[in-house]
Amino acid sequence: MDLQDRVTELESRLAFQDDTIETLNDILVTQQRAVERLQLQMTALLKRQEEMGAQFESSEEEAPPPHY
């Protein structure tokens, strides 16, 4: 294999690796956005659960109805 063939082979591999890296980067960006969206949803759900828990706690502390 002469020098020109080796250089061509290396350039071909480099181009393939660049394409692979770009594809992986796109996938990583998509996954990061999904993770951020899930974190926001989790935060909202936790806040909602705390609010609902506070509502139930306050109703449990109320005095029993007069007919007891």
Side-chain angles (χ1 to χ4, degrees):
M1 186 178 249
D2 68 342
L3 185 59
Q4 183 61 33
D5 290 341
R6 291 176 61 193
V7 170
T8 303
E9 177 67 24
L10 287 173
E11 287 175 343
S12 175
R13 286 183 182 197
L14 178 62
F16 179 75
Q17 289 177 354
D18 285 345
D19 182 58
T20 302
I21 290 170
E22 186 66 31
T23 301
L24 290 172
N25 186 54
D26 292 344
I27 292 169
L28 183 63
V29 168
T30 301
Q31 288 181 341
Q32 182 62 35
R33 288 180 183 149
V35 167
E36 289 171 356
R37 190 170 51 251
L38 289 170
Q39 286 175 332
L40 289 173
Q41 289 174 347
M42 181 65 84
T43 301
L45 286 172
L46 288 172
K47 183 178 177 184
R48 185 173 176 191
Q49 181 184 17
E50 289 174 0
E51 291 171 354
M52 292 182 77
Q55 290 176 353
F56 287 119
E57 288 175 7
S58 65
S59 66
E60 291 175 359
E61 295 173 3
E62 294 177 5
H67 63 276
Y68 276 110

